Amino acid sequence: MEQHVINDISLTARILGAAFYYPPAEKSDIVELLSHKNWVAEWPYGSDDEKQSIATLLSQTSLNEETLTQAYQRLFIGPYALPAPPWGSVYLDNENVLFGNSTLDLREWMLEHGIDIALTQNEPEDHFGLIVMMVAWIAETRPVKLNELLAEHLLPWAYRYLEKMSLQSAFPYYEGLAMLATLTLKNWQSQLNVTPVEKQLFC
């Protein structure tokens, strides 16, 4: 695998993973980057038109009475039902539960490859943002395992999640973030020639 491909995957995975996982106050530098269109010229994937349309959405960090922090709370924390839950097992388990079999499969894969995520609370490892940040780490440290992680543990459900986020977030910034992630994942898949494992989706 060429080094520039690894570098592009690592950089974009770090940005997207953090943007999806951390509350806006903890990732203010990333929010600043994405909301001011500074990323468009440097992002390695997509046409200028695609990126400009996404950048327009990402620049809208408030909507009516809702702030970006409030939107994050509504979309990722609750207390009400999340429009697009960010955990893989919600999509891959027929009862839409957290810590389902797909989570346990990911945990076993991580254990097998010596990957330890320092979680601050008891939460599933198959959060979209966490797995995308894991993609960055795998790309940098053991790129031969990258296809396996994408094919088995991320791509089988990620596009469904991102579609729901794009359509149901009701907030332009997160709609744009979902579109940017979709564009990026499709380019990873194409560049690495990844064939996602076919898994039934229940959500």
Side-chain angles (χ1 to χ4, degrees):
M1 193 184 307
E2 295 183 24
Q3 189 61 44
H4 76 89
V5 173
I6 294 174
N7 292 344
D8 286 348
I9 291 173
S10 173
L11 174 65
T12 54
R14 285 187 177 280
I15 293 171
L16 287 174
F20 274 91
Y21 185 69
Y22 295 110
E26 294 182 29
K27 59 182 182 191
S28 57
D29 53 340
I30 291 177
V31 173
E32 182 79 10
L33 169 70
L34 293 177
S35 63
H36 287 85
K37 303 186 179 183
N38 299 337
W39 60 273
V40 171
E42 301 297 328
W43 204 262
Y45 314 118
S47 68
D48 286 342
D49 287 345
E50 287 174 315
K51 290 186 285 188
Q52 287 292 348
S53 64
I54 292 170
T56 298
L57 291 169
L58 287 170
S59 68
Q60 301 176 53
T61 55
S62 63
L63 182 67
N64 299 325
E65 298 301 315
E66 190 174 39
T67 66
L68 185 61
T69 297
Q70 291 168 332
Y72 177 88
Q73 177 77 27
R74 174 173 57 83
L75 294 169
F76 292 91
I77 307 297
Y80 305 109
L82 306 186
W87 301 280
S89 65
V90 174
Y91 301 87
L92 298 171
D93 189 285
N94 61 359
E95 296 183 356
N96 311 122
V97 296
L98 299 182
F99 295 102
N101 287 333
S102 62
T103 312
L104 301 180
D105 289 343
L106 174 62
R107 187 177 292 174
E108 185 177 323
W109 187 86
M110 292 167 60
L111 185 63
E112 179 183 341
H113 297 293
I115 302 168
D116 183 24
I117 299 176
L119 299 175
T120 57
Q121 56 190 355
N122 183 29
E123 62 178 319
E125 292 89 342
D126 61 345
H127 187 291
F128 178 81
L130 280 176
I131 298 181
V132 172
M133 286 190 284
M134 196 187 308
V135 166
W137 189 83
I138 291 292
E140 294 162 10
T141 61
R142 51 194 79 180
V144 293
K145 293 297 179 182
L146 194 50
N147 281 37
E148 195 175 310
L149 176 60
L150 292 170
E152 296 181 13
H153 300 290
L154 182 61
L155 294 182
W157 63 275
Y159 293 127
R160 175 69 62 85
Y161 161 64
L162 293 169
E163 179 184 34
K164 289 172 73 74
M165 175 64 81
S166 178
L167 294 175
Q168 299 180 29
S169 66
F171 198 90
Y173 176 87
Y174 282 109
E175 180 184 347
L177 191 61
M179 293 171 64
L180 182 61
T182 300
L183 175 69
T184 301
L185 263 61
K186 286 183 175 179
N187 276 272
W188 292 351
Q189 183 178 344
S190 175
Q191 283 189 336
L192 301 175
N193 195 27
V194 178
T195 301
V197 174
E198 291 189 16
K199 297 184 180 182
Q200 185 174 357
L201 299 177
F202 297 94
C203 178

